[in-house]
Amino acid sequence: MEEKNFAELDANFKSREIGSFKLEFHDGFASPFVLEGFPYIDQEGRRSRLPLNIAAQCDMPGVYPMSMQGAGEVIRFRTNSPAIGIRAGFTEIFNGNNRGGSNGFDLYTGSGANLRFRGNRSIAPGADKFEALYSDHLPADGTCYDCTLYFPYHSAVSAIAIGLVPGSTLEPPTPHKTGKPVVFYGSSITNCGSAGRPGLVYPAIIARELDFHLINMGLSGSCRGELCVADTIAELDIAALVLEFDHNAPTPEFLAERHEPFFRRYRSRRPETPVLMMSRCDFKQEDDSRLRREIVMRTWLNAVNAGDRNVEFLDGETLFAGHFREECTQDCCHPNDYGAILMAERIADRLKQILK
């Protein structure tokens, strides 16, 4: 798909009408808009979750394109506009999901745990561009409010223009309660393309609840625990690291070879950063889930026995605990919206204590 830049979206920054509103468009990648979740940008202007040179070194070729795709990334800003428009260009659009789900942009208003969903605008199948308007449920009395706009998952946005009613206020967003980002590293469960919409990616739910900048390094089918990834995460100044590191190890032996060395490599460079490690959420008695959990627990116990007081373990079997355990996934593996909400609630309870 041909890459589009802001000038192509809106030549000479002209105003444009969408629906009944005349809007003035602004480059969504420029100040005072704040982009979160893509900490890297290369010389060609490509924004990514992992540096593209590091992504190219990983075991699985899918890491490279996935690094530029959405998995809970947002643009945040503050305005009093009674309507908000979006125009976007892509290098890739994810038009299908074999596990269900509706892709597109999600808009939330408010800040912190008071964020409220204001609508999803889906990308039409086969589209190569996008235009949408939000006006329902937005203040029309001139009151300023915070906006959080979630990018489509598994799609690579190359340019985005955000339209406001001419004369509206445009300011930086309210700062997060947690001053540093939190990184999640894991499989497709963390990448969470089976969510019904982008705001229901489980790390995104946690980020709203605990009010932090999310960097989601979930990589569908490609979380292999490469040491170069551990080194990359260690370069970031973050509040905590969450490891959902199990599913993409093809065997328990592979997991044992990679899990503890990955943690040790990270810990050697960041001795004080809190780390929460989890075993798989879709625990099954009949497969090797128990053995894999023991491997993850061994990493944790070895660290604790060595004096590490900044590492925690969360048993993934508890994440779907309850009468409706079997209703928590799309396919007996990937969490559906109900499963994602349960995961978010239970992980947030633990992470809240860690962030204190």
Side-chain angles (χ1 to χ4, degrees):
M1 181 175 292
E2 182 182 356
E3 184 169 350
K4 297 187 185 330
N5 59 34
F6 178 73
E8 289 173 315
L9 288 179
D10 208 310
N12 302 317
F13 297 78
K14 291 180 180 178
S15 298
R16 183 180 180 89
E17 289 187 4
I18 301 182
S20 60
F21 289 92
K22 184 177 182 180
L23 303 174
E24 183 178 81
F25 280 85
H26 310 260
D27 184 352
F29 288 145
S31 178
F33 297 102
V34 174
L35 175 66
E36 297 181 354
F38 287 123
Y40 307 101
I41 182 169
D42 70 2
Q43 293 180 343
E44 298 180 29
R46 295 177 296 186
R47 294 160 179 86
S48 58
R49 298 185 278 145
L50 275 174
L52 295 181
N53 64 318
I54 298 299
Q57 298 175 35
C58 291
D59 292 358
M60 308 298 288
V63 173
Y64 189 92
M66 265 189 287
S67 294
M68 293 176 279
Q69 297 170 3
E73 292 69 33
V74 300
I75 287 177
R76 299 177 63 235
F77 58 100
R78 186 169 172 82
T79 187
N80 63 353
S81 179
I84 295 172
I86 305 171
R87 304 183 68 209
F90 305 84
T91 54
E92 182 177 1
I93 297 177
F94 183 62
N95 282 320
N97 189 336
N98 60 10
R99 292 188 294 274
S102 174
N103 210 358
F105 289 84
D106 278 357
L107 179 67
Y108 284 72
T109 63
S111 61
N114 294 318
L115 277 161
R116 295 294 180 264
F117 176 59
R118 299 307 185 197
N120 171 273
R121 299 295 183 265
S122 297
I123 302 170
D128 64 352
K129 58 184 178 180
F130 177 84
E131 182 175 275
L133 177 74
Y134 297 88
S135 58
D136 297 339
H137 313 299
L138 300 184
D141 60 358
T143 302
C144 277
Y145 57 97
D146 284 272
C147 294
T148 298
L149 183 69
Y150 282 89
F151 282 27
Y153 46 62
H154 290 318
S155 298
V157 177
S158 60
I160 183 165
I162 295 177
L164 307 176
V165 171
S168 297
T169 298
L170 175 58
E171 301 173 344
T174 300
H176 287 297
K177 180 179 178 181
T178 301
K180 297 179 181 180
V182 175
V183 171
F184 284 67
Y185 176 59
S187 67
S188 55
I189 289 173
T190 296
N191 207 50
C192 220
S194 56
R197 50 182 177 79
L200 293 176
V201 171
Y202 91 77
I205 301 173
I206 299 172
R208 290 196 298 275
E209 181 66 22
L210 302 185
D211 196 7
F212 59 73
H213 171 169
L214 168 66
I215 300 175
N216 187 350
M217 293 187 180
L219 300 166
S220 296
S222 304
C223 175
R224 294 294 184 100
E226 297 90 344
L227 295 182
C228 61
V229 177
D231 292 339
T232 298
I233 299 173
E235 293 173 357
L236 298 171
D237 184 16
I238 61 176
L241 170 62
V242 180
L243 296 177
E244 179 264 302
F245 182 178
D246 176 349
H247 266 290
N248 298 154
T251 65
E253 292 76 18
F254 184 97
L255 180 63
E257 290 173 2
R258 294 287 182 100
H259 193 274
E260 187 160 2
F262 183 94
F263 169 76
R264 286 180 176 271
R265 183 66 160 257
Y266 178 79
R267 181 54 89 215
S268 70
R269 288 155 172 75
R270 290 286 182 177
E272 302 297 329
T273 301
V275 175
L276 173 62
M277 54 184 68
M278 303 184 295
S279 55
R280 59 173 55 186
C281 57
D282 57 319
F283 185 94
K284 300 178 180 65
Q285 296 290 345
E286 64 272 15
D287 63 12
D288 57 11
S289 294
R290 189 177 301 277
L291 177 55
R292 288 172 178 265
R293 179 173 61 187
E294 290 173 358
I295 291 166
V296 176
M297 286 184 67
R298 188 182 311 134
T299 302
W300 167 65
L301 287 170
N302 287 344
V304 171
N305 291 336
D308 192 332
R309 296 297 176 263
N310 291 309
V311 60
E312 299 282 342
F313 171 75
L314 179 57
D315 185 353
E317 186 179 8
T318 68
L319 295 175
F320 293 159
H323 179 70
F324 295 107
R325 178 180 184 83
E326 302 303 324
E327 306 299 333
C328 291
T329 70
Q330 292 281 5
D331 52 8
C332 298
C333 177
H334 298 86
N336 55 26
D337 292 345
Y338 175 59
I341 290 170
L342 287 184
M343 290 183 72
E345 287 179 340
R346 291 163 184 178
I347 295 168
D349 284 344
R350 181 67 67 87
L351 195 55
K352 185 186 301 183
Q353 300 305 315
I354 292 171
L355 293 175
K356 285 182 179 180

